[in-house]
Amino acid sequence: MYGAVIYAPGDVRVDERDKPTIVESTDAIIRMSATCVCGSDLWDYRGINPVAQPIPMGHEYVGIVEEVGSEVTTIAPGQFVIGSFFASDNTCEICQAGYHSSCIHRQFVGAGGAQAEYLRVPLADGTLVATPEVPSDDLIPSLLAASDVLGTGWFGAVAADAGPGKTVAVVGDGAVGLLAILAARQLGAECIIPMSRHESRQRLAREFGATDIVTERGDAGVARIKELTGGLGADSVIEAVGTQESMMQAIGSTRPGGHVGYVGVAHDVALPGEELFYSHVHLHGGPAPVRRFLPELIDLIWQRKINPGKVFDLELPLAEAAEGYKAMDERRAIKTLLRP
Amino acid sequence: MYGAVIYAPGDVRVDERDKPTIVESTDAIIRMSATCVCGSDLWDYRGINPVAQPIPMGHEYVGIVEEVGSEVTTIAPGQFVIGSFFASDNTCEICQAGYHSSCIHRQFVGAGGAQAEYLRVPLADGTLVATPEVPSDDLIPSLLAASDVLGTGWFGAVAADAGPGKTVAVVGDGAVGLLAILAARQLGAECIIPMSRHESRQRLAREFGATDIVTERGDAGVARIKELTGGLGADSVIEAVGTQESMMQAIGSTRPGGHVGYVGVAHDVALPGEELFYSHVHLHGGPAPVRRFLPELIDLIWQRKINPGKVFDLELPLAEAAEGYKAMDERRAIKTLLRP
């Protein structure tokens, strides 16, 4: 089969690789209907994460179950399934509390590289959620979004306590930030204020439910959010970048007693204790427990109540994965969908 | 009148100073029944906070109202009152949300120095809570504790989401940590595990509701808490120290999805973003909004359901404040009560 492999920063190739096979009796093999490039893949592509040896890429996936291990009971060949980047047993105490991405048996599904024709998914019963039937083609981008970016934006909004009557600010206008807007809207937020300076993203932000847009960043961005919130700051702020600047912008934009939900993978971040202490914010986040939200998200998509697939503004054959990375790196595309 | 003033690290004197007067029409002047030395006062005493000029000390107080400004309507001379270290209007949006210590009109009551015979309290109507009548003398230590350490420990327990069925760990065995145990117990926690290596404090910890004691610190302390919680970590961890080590010990001891409530005033703390991200904890804390809890705490004390005054294991006349500081600095006393 073919799959994308990164060899060095800026160097992604689609190689012929071994088709994955059942290793554990709880595994499933799925034939990919669609996969995509994640903002976090760009950390490797840009050389911010080291690339010591060739690494199979991708951790977002939807597809048809081809084969299951002998212990798999709820997932069957022929089903269309969606799973998250972390495999989880869905039964341990941590999963039961809703933190599947910290499951005591968690495994990184992306280890095998989801930007490929086939993928091995461990703990299939706990990890995969099947759709009511094989979806029509137009639903596939939205279902694929549920695999990571939608689930991650949703977790950001939940962690930030977005809800009825709340004013929600969003730091980061990538696919996760944009879908956090959609999530906040679905959760009933009253005002949703993304911080964005890119016109095409602002357009999508408004479509997803943004009520205002702040184009300033850093301290100026914080000042603008305070101006829009009676000097107090937003009730809820979703952080979807993962840098020192974005975290401080999020904390600074939140009113005392408010909530910061952070889902940008932290890179070289050190939070100053004293500033955090006096900010009085609630801080919660981390790798999104997407599995917690999948049934609800799939249902919303299936009923066509939400259309998160709109974040894919570039669709390419898997063979052209390299161009998909390049377009995102150069910010010509928000998010690239790849079809094997 | 007389009041304690710090001149340099280790140098606290009781000086003759001007008696405070009404400055704003919303002020009250109270005649101190009792005051005390706070763990945070030791940051100055130990030279960790700079002491650039003589500073009047103390921010914990109970006493009899002597005089009120012309706009004060709910507090009257002759009442016995308790307030917090931050004056608050109790009406702004932030106070209404329960974050009085970030009130938009907040003022630091300790600016005048509460280790004195009289104290000016700004925003008297919003800040002070009167007891049903002038209390008997034996209730005074507990009511004084409500002014800060009890309210702070209580906020730590609330911020850590301590409640029925929960396992709660406590980092720090000073007065705040000990009263966080009492709070967790009152809030219904099932297991309460302080981390303490001082026998006298362990005794008080057990009396307040501790079910286990962990004597290890740092990574060894984290390992022991995990051992006691099925390898997962505590549901709730209260941090009552404020150092890098204590914060990391608290975060490390908390299970994914669990809550850290931190109330130790942060000193030279920088939280590593990546570790925090993958810890999956909820983090909340800051200067305790003691005013939020005062009516409930006073009621519990008045009904003699709790006895937080037990943290005062040294009582001295105000004139001997210097010895009160010294005893706490040398850990001969947990907390010193001073009687003017």
Side-chain angles (χ1 to χ4, degrees):
Chain A
M1 69 158 192
Y2 285 90
V5 175
I6 192 165
Y7 282 79
D11 181 8
V12 171
R13 306 177 204 167
V14 175
D15 285 350
E16 188 152 11
R17 291 164 43 208
D18 288 339
K19 188 182 157 186
T21 53
I22 298 287
V23 178
E24 303 282 343
S25 54
T26 48
D27 288 351
I29 303 297
I30 69 170
R31 180 162 40 81
M32 208 64 70
S33 299
T35 177
C36 53
V37 182
C38 182
S40 70
D41 293 334
L42 295 183
W43 293 103
D44 295 356
Y45 189 81
R46 290 172 174 160
I48 299 168
N49 287 348
V51 180
Q53 75 280 322
I55 308 167
M57 294 297 286
H59 54 264
E60 295 158 281
Y61 55 96
V62 292
I64 304 282
V65 178
E66 179 148 300
E67 190 186 352
V68 297
S70 59
E71 284 187 70
V72 175
T73 59
T74 61
I75 295 296
Q79 284 183 320
F80 184 92
V81 290
I82 303 156
S84 162
F85 45 91
F86 276 123
S88 52
D89 62 22
N90 200 29
T91 56
C92 75
E93 220 174 307
I94 301 297
C95 282
Q96 289 299 304
Y99 287 85
H100 299 75
S101 39
S102 283
C103 168
I104 61 170
H105 294 120
R106 80 166 180 195
Q107 294 180 51
F108 183 53
V109 180
Q115 290 159 10
E117 291 178 274
Y118 295 91
L119 181 70
R120 173 186 160 245
V121 180
L123 303 170
D125 281 332
T127 305
L128 296 170
V129 179
T131 53
E133 51 195 271
V134 174
S136 62
D137 203 58
D138 66 318
L139 281 181
I140 285 190
S142 286
L143 292 167
L144 176 61
S147 172
D148 180 352
V149 274
L150 174 60
T152 296
W154 199 275
F155 176 54
V158 168
D161 203 33
K166 296 284 181 77
T167 293
V168 179
V170 182
V171 181
D173 62 1
V176 170
L178 290 166
L179 290 171
I181 297 169
L182 181 153
R185 176 69 175 277
Q186 285 293 318
L187 293 166
E190 188 171 302
C191 298
I192 305 173
I193 316 172
M195 293 159 119
S196 169
R197 46 177 63 178
H198 299 87
E199 214 193 315
S200 64
R201 294 168 190 232
Q202 290 176 4
R203 224 172 13 245
L204 198 48
R206 291 214 184 259
E207 202 171 323
F208 283 157
T211 52
D212 285 285
I213 305 253
V214 165
T215 54
E216 292 87 347
R217 280 190 192 171
D219 290 345
V222 169
R224 186 80 188 101
I225 294 287
K226 290 213 168 153
E227 222 176 279
L228 290 167
T229 54
L232 302 177
D235 301 299
S236 303
V237 180
I238 301 158
E239 191 284 333
V241 183
T243 62
Q244 183 74 17
E245 189 192 6
S246 64
M247 282 297 284
M248 296 319 293
Q249 192 171 320
I251 293 166
S253 300
T254 310
R255 69 178 56 196
H259 291 71
V260 175
Y262 66 105
V263 289
V265 180
H267 278 78
D268 293 325
V269 170
L271 300 181
E274 213 160 332
E275 204 166 329
L276 194 63
F277 186 82
Y278 288 104
S279 75
H280 253 159
V281 302
H282 297 76
L283 196 60
H284 185 46
V290 176
R291 178 65 183 81
R292 188 206 307 179
F293 308 111
L294 273 180
E296 181 182 0
L297 300 181
I298 291 172
D299 189 53
L300 286 170
I301 294 165
W302 203 260
Q303 294 185 50
R304 298 179 192 268
K305 288 189 177 164
I306 58 174
N307 191 355
K310 286 200 173 174
V311 293
F312 295 107
D313 53 353
L314 179 63
E315 184 171 326
L316 294 170
L318 173 62
E320 292 172 35
E323 168 55 19
Y325 277 78
K326 197 157 183 282
M328 283 175 64
D329 178 43
E330 293 168 359
R331 296 181 77 91
R332 283 185 283 118
I334 297 173
K335 196 166 174 74
T336 308
L337 184 143
L338 301 170
R339 298 256 189 186
Chain B
M1 70 158 193
Y2 284 90
V5 175
I6 192 164
Y7 282 79
D11 181 11
V12 171
R13 307 177 204 168
V14 175
D15 285 350
E16 188 153 11
R17 290 164 43 208
D18 288 340
K19 188 182 158 185
T21 54
I22 299 288
V23 177
E24 304 282 342
S25 54
T26 48
D27 289 351
I29 303 297
I30 68 171
R31 179 163 39 83
M32 208 64 69
S33 299
T35 177
C36 52
V37 182
C38 181
S40 69
D41 293 333
L42 295 183
W43 294 103
D44 295 356
Y45 189 82
R46 289 171 174 161
I48 299 167
N49 287 348
V51 181
Q53 74 281 322
I55 307 167
M57 294 296 287
H59 53 264
E60 295 158 284
Y61 56 96
V62 292
I64 303 283
V65 178
E66 179 148 300
E67 190 186 351
V68 296
S70 59
E71 285 187 69
V72 174
T73 59
T74 62
I75 296 295
Q79 283 183 320
F80 185 93
V81 290
I82 303 156
S84 162
F85 44 92
F86 276 123
S88 51
D89 62 22
N90 200 30
T91 56
C92 76
E93 221 174 306
I94 301 298
C95 282
Q96 290 300 303
Y99 287 86
H100 299 74
S101 39
S102 283
C103 168
I104 60 170
H105 294 120
R106 82 168 179 193
Q107 294 181 51
F108 183 54
V109 179
Q115 291 159 10
E117 291 177 274
Y118 294 91
L119 180 70
R120 174 186 158 242
V121 181
L123 302 170
D125 280 333
T127 305
L128 296 170
V129 179
T131 53
E133 53 195 270
V134 174
S136 63
D137 203 61
D138 66 318
L139 281 181
I140 284 189
S142 286
L143 292 167
L144 176 61
S147 171
D148 180 353
V149 275
L150 174 60
T152 296
W154 198 276
F155 175 55
V158 167
D161 202 33
K166 296 285 181 76
T167 293
V168 179
V170 182
V171 181
D173 63 0
V176 170
L178 290 166
L179 290 172
I181 297 168
L182 180 152
R185 175 68 175 276
Q186 285 292 316
L187 292 166
E190 188 170 304
C191 298
I192 305 173
I193 317 173
M195 294 160 118
S196 169
R197 45 177 64 177
H198 299 87
E199 214 193 316
S200 64
R201 294 168 189 232
Q202 289 175 4
R203 222 171 17 244
L204 199 47
R206 291 212 183 264
E207 203 172 322
F208 283 156
T211 52
D212 285 285
I213 306 256
V214 164
T215 54
E216 293 87 348
R217 280 191 193 170
D219 289 345
V222 169
R224 187 80 189 100
I225 293 288
K226 291 214 168 151
E227 220 177 280
L228 290 167
T229 53
L232 301 177
D235 300 298
S236 303
V237 180
I238 301 158
E239 190 284 334
V241 183
T243 62
Q244 183 75 16
E245 187 192 6
S246 64
M247 282 298 284
M248 296 318 294
Q249 192 171 320
I251 292 166
S253 300
T254 310
R255 70 178 54 196
H259 291 71
V260 175
Y262 66 104
V263 289
V265 181
H267 278 78
D268 293 324
V269 170
L271 300 181
E274 213 159 334
E275 204 167 330
L276 194 62
F277 186 82
Y278 288 103
S279 75
H280 252 160
V281 302
H282 297 76
L283 196 59
H284 185 45
V290 176
R291 177 64 183 81
R292 187 204 309 178
F293 308 111
L294 273 181
E296 181 182 359
L297 300 181
I298 290 171
D299 189 54
L300 286 169
I301 294 165
W302 203 259
Q303 293 184 52
R304 297 177 192 271
K305 287 188 178 165
I306 58 174
N307 191 355
K310 285 199 173 174
V311 292
F312 295 108
D313 54 354
L314 179 62
E315 184 172 327
L316 294 170
L318 173 63
E320 291 171 38
E323 168 55 20
Y325 276 77
K326 197 156 185 284
M328 282 174 65
D329 178 44
E330 293 168 1
R331 293 182 79 91
R332 282 184 282 118
I334 297 173
K335 194 165 174 73
T336 308
L337 184 144
L338 301 170
R339 298 257 190 184

